[in-house]
Amino acid sequence: MRIAVSRSVLVWGLLGLSSAVAPLRADDPAPAAPPAGEVTQHQFADSKVFPGTVRDFWVYVPRQYDPSRPACLYVNQDGIQYNAPAVFDRLIHEKQMPVTIGVFVKWGRLAARDPAAGDRFDRAVEYDTPDDRYVTFLVDELLPVVERMSTADGRAIHLSHDGNDRSIAGASSGAVCAFTAAWQRPDQFHRVFSTIGTYVGLRGADRYPTLIRKTDPRPLRVFLQDGSTDQNIFAGDWWFANQMMERALVFAGYEVNHAWGEGGHNTDQGTAIFADAMRWLWKDWPAPVKLGLGSPEMQTALYPDEPWKLVADGFQSVAGLAANPSGEVVFSDAATGKDYRIDGAGKVAPTGERVAGISGQAFSDSGQLFSVGEKLDGVQAATKAGDTAKADPAIHGCRLVVCRDGSQYVTAPDSSEHASKVWYISPKGEKKVVETGLKYPTGITLSCDQSLLLVAEGRSHWIYSYQIGPGGALLNGQRFHYLHVPEPADNAAPGGLASDNGARLYVATNMGVQVCDQTGRVYFILPLPVGTPTDVCFGGEKFDTLFAAAGDRIFKRKLKVVGTPPFHDAVKPPPPRL
């Protein structure tokens, strides 16, 4: 839908959509008024996500609601906008949207303890911050309260918990808040209505057009509205920011619609188009909202019908993911010291028990397993009999990589960056420090051609790249791969690393698995269904399956590419895309 709006006249687009209120001719019969739903006002003052705040909220329940069938949900920030209850009365009556309960929420306010002082208004913190706190507040705190309510005539309120049955909306900062809620929790909200959205540099929402293009697609349907005379201030240009959002969503293959006008920073046009926007957002319901397609870069590496799959859970702290030359993946429960193997069929079985605290493991080309960890007194090497021996008791490592010639590089982070080290152990067992001064070095691997050593700086958003020189020397090192950082973190917390035959680098971060090209740019981001990845490796018979550890779980995902663990032959990278 392309809708042009002058300052005084609303001109509808070419898709045959009617206006919010159709004009009546003198000889038309008066339309029957739809049955009005119930709107009640409440207050919530028991938030742990936003402690101490108090806020008003309103609940709309349509007359057609039957408590035996959970209702769809609409959430709106800044309270009741767009004349929504009256529009819902009409659309539900005309069966142009499903039976939907509306929850209209104001931002929180922290009352001053001194009458002479002013209250603290939390709207910007709650709405403009692109993290998961507000949606957590909704899902875990406010909506359960709504579901404990009942209507004036005694109908208990039951909401559908299917994200396909849930929509969320708002204007200005409330629009950013709505999009953030669906972006952070696509299991909860699939449909977004955004007017005069504040996708600018107030608290980081200006990054959304980039993240939309790079992040594994979600099942979202988005309607955007803005006017050409919207705000243009210190934080950015609203009019262009909304168009950048629309272009990013189109680029990534999402279901997106928009209405552009000439209005300013108000809800006039949003109110005028609200009914048609709701028709579009709910079209074809209950058919599911489709996933976006993702960028061309994603499509070269990802299968659209191969999402992350849970391999196993119930551990305490999964660490030390490593694949042997046969593609079997081993790992340790760092909290208990128990070791496990994932076989070619994806079955998990225990293999023994060692000291707790293992954090990194790697196989040599002969199939020997090397391990490091905070409670291991050095690098531990498995013998042919399956026992373990300490290869070097002087090195207290975090992660390691074993090169084809049997040499090793080991990261040894320290709370003081000046004490952090990268060690080199020669094939003969001679050791030396080859790098110092990184901010908590963690993950480590080789490039696919095995000419570069790549080291994650655990307390920044950088991966360092070094040429490997004679005798294991590290040459010409520099900060190379630039990682994205989520709100409210101060760094990307990069952990385990892995590479593939297209010279891509896979980095476990607090934003998901970030996949970089050979020039150091993040091509795409693969969040996990649950949790934050801390380690990654390629495994499976063809090494075309990416495994990721996240807390007590392990996930896997089949890809179109092949991993290149260091015990494989070196692969010359393709020419870089500049």
Side-chain angles (χ1 to χ4, degrees):
M1 174 169 53
R2 303 285 197 272
I3 301 173
V5 179
S6 71
R7 296 182 191 278
S8 58
V9 179
L10 191 64
V11 182
W12 294 95
L14 302 178
L15 299 187
L17 295 170
S18 63
S19 64
V21 180
L24 293 175
R25 298 179 309 186
D27 57 348
D28 281 342
E38 174 185 291
V39 178
T40 54
Q41 183 175 355
H42 312 270
Q43 193 172 83
F44 183 77
D46 193 27
S47 176
K48 294 180 175 59
V49 178
F50 302 112
T53 58
V54 60
R55 73 196 66 227
D56 293 329
F57 70 98
W58 294 257
V59 178
Y60 161 85
V61 181
R63 183 71 60 82
Q64 298 86 345
Y65 166 64
D66 179 351
S68 68
R69 301 183 64 183
C72 292
L73 172 68
Y74 171 93
V75 175
N76 201 101
Q77 279 57 246
D78 282 318
I80 297 176
Q81 295 177 315
Y82 316 119
N83 196 23
V87 173
F88 290 168
D89 285 343
R90 173 186 165 190
L91 295 182
I92 294 170
H93 175 67
E94 296 175 352
K95 301 187 185 306
Q96 297 188 47
M97 66 178 287
V99 172
T100 301
I101 288 176
V103 179
F104 304 87
V105 191
K106 290 285 284 187
W107 38 267
R109 173 176 54 86
L110 184 67
R113 299 179 64 185
D114 185 340
D119 295 346
R120 189 185 75 191
F121 299 107
D122 280 12
R123 184 174 185 268
V125 172
E126 294 179 7
Y127 287 5
D128 290 312
T129 306
D131 62 17
D132 66 352
R133 286 187 300 164
Y134 185 80
V135 70
T136 299
F137 155 75
L138 284 179
V139 172
D140 293 349
E141 296 185 344
L142 186 65
L143 293 179
V145 169
V146 173
E147 290 198 273
R148 292 194 291 269
M149 295 178 177
S150 58
T151 63
D153 57 6
R155 289 174 292 167
I157 292 179
H158 300 297
L159 303 174
S160 171
H161 288 219
D162 184 341
N164 192 58
D165 297 341
R166 292 184 163 200
S167 60
I168 188 164
S172 189
S173 294
V176 171
C177 185
F179 182 83
T180 295
W183 184 256
Q184 293 284 345
R185 292 293 302 273
D187 61 313
Q188 294 291 325
F189 296 99
H190 289 184
R191 305 164 198 270
V192 180
F193 179 58
S194 163
T195 68
I196 56 172
T198 306
Y199 302 103
V200 295
L202 288 177
R203 290 179 177 267
D206 53 321
R207 291 177 285 182
Y208 272 134
T210 297
L211 295 178
I212 289 167
R213 294 170 183 266
K214 292 186 176 186
T215 306
D216 203 9
R218 289 127 156 91
L220 299 182
R221 181 180 292 171
V222 182
F223 193 106
L224 298 164
Q225 174 276 327
D226 200 24
S228 59
T229 56
D230 201 349
Q231 295 187 121
N232 182 11
I233 62 171
F234 68 93
D237 187 319
W238 270 244
W239 170 236
F240 282 102
N242 277 272
Q243 292 178 78
M244 288 178 65
M245 285 288 291
E246 189 264 346
R247 288 177 64 83
L249 288 162
V250 169
F251 173 85
Y254 283 92
E255 291 186 83
V256 58
N257 212 332
H258 70 270
W260 302 145
E262 297 179 2
H265 199 71
N266 56 60
T267 60
D268 294 349
Q269 185 186 0
T271 301
I273 67 170
F274 183 68
D276 274 315
M278 290 298 104
R279 292 186 184 99
W280 181 80
L281 282 172
W282 290 105
K283 69 183 178 73
D284 302 328
W285 182 89
V289 171
K290 298 176 182 178
L291 280 170
L293 299 176
S295 68
E297 290 77 15
M298 288 184 201
Q299 295 173 39
T300 63
L302 306 180
Y303 290 105
D305 55 350
E306 288 284 352
W308 287 108
K309 297 177 181 177
L310 180 67
V311 177
D313 60 3
F315 308 101
Q316 292 189 41
S317 181
V318 176
L321 287 184
N324 64 24
S326 299
E328 296 179 321
V329 174
V330 303
F331 64 94
S332 177
D333 189 333
T336 65
K338 295 180 179 179
D339 297 328
Y340 300 86
R341 176 183 287 111
I342 306 171
D343 65 18
K347 295 182 179 179
V348 180
T351 59
E353 187 169 350
R354 289 180 288 171
V355 64
I358 288 175
S359 55
Q361 300 190 112
F363 281 93
S364 69
D365 60 353
S366 66
Q368 188 176 28
L369 178 63
F370 294 82
S371 307
V372 291
E374 61 177 335
K375 295 184 179 180
L376 292 180
D377 188 15
V379 179
Q380 198 175 73
T383 66
K384 291 183 179 180
D387 299 325
T388 55
K390 291 167 184 165
D392 196 316
I395 299 175
H396 298 272
C398 174
R399 287 181 173 86
L400 79 164
V401 62
V402 181
C403 305
R404 283 179 62 83
D405 65 358
S407 62
Q408 304 168 39
Y409 289 94
V410 184
T411 58
D414 191 275
S415 56
S416 169
E417 63 183 80
H418 302 291
S420 293
K421 301 178 178 68
V422 177
W423 288 85
Y424 171 75
I425 303 174
S426 74
K428 296 181 179 180
E430 301 162 334
K431 66 179 186 297
K432 62 181 177 181
V433 175
V434 289
E435 179 63 291
T436 60
L438 296 182
K439 295 178 182 178
Y440 211 82
T442 53
I444 188 168
T445 194
L446 300 180
S447 60
C448 66
D449 61 7
Q450 302 182 14
S451 68
L452 303 172
L453 183 73
L454 307 173
V455 183
E457 193 174 58
R459 292 180 179 172
S460 77
H461 59 88
W462 292 105
I463 305 295
Y464 277 69
S465 175
Y466 303 88
Q467 283 184 318
I468 297 176
L474 299 183
L475 310 174
N476 303 314
Q478 63 175 307
R479 298 184 302 183
F480 196 77
H481 298 79
Y482 178 101
L483 303 173
H484 291 283
V485 178
E487 291 290 342
D490 295 322
N491 59 65
L497 308 180
S499 59
D500 73 13
N501 58 351
R504 301 175 190 85
L505 179 67
Y506 297 72
V507 188
T509 76
N510 53 9
M511 206 167 195
V513 179
Q514 299 195 42
V515 184
C516 306
D517 71 354
Q518 67 196 90
T519 64
R521 305 169 297 192
V522 174
Y523 254 14
F524 51 93
I525 305 170
L526 306 176
L528 298 181
V530 178
T532 298
T534 54
D535 207 357
V536 291
C537 79
F538 277 94
E541 182 180 356
K542 298 180 180 179
F543 285 87
D544 60 352
T545 301
L546 183 66
F547 289 81
D552 64 342
R553 298 174 172 89
I554 294 180
F555 295 91
K556 68 177 181 179
R557 186 165 187 169
K558 186 176 175 63
L559 304 182
K560 295 179 180 179
V561 301
V562 175
T564 54
F567 50 71
H568 280 186
D569 292 335
V571 176
K572 185 176 181 178
R577 293 178 59 185
L578 303 176

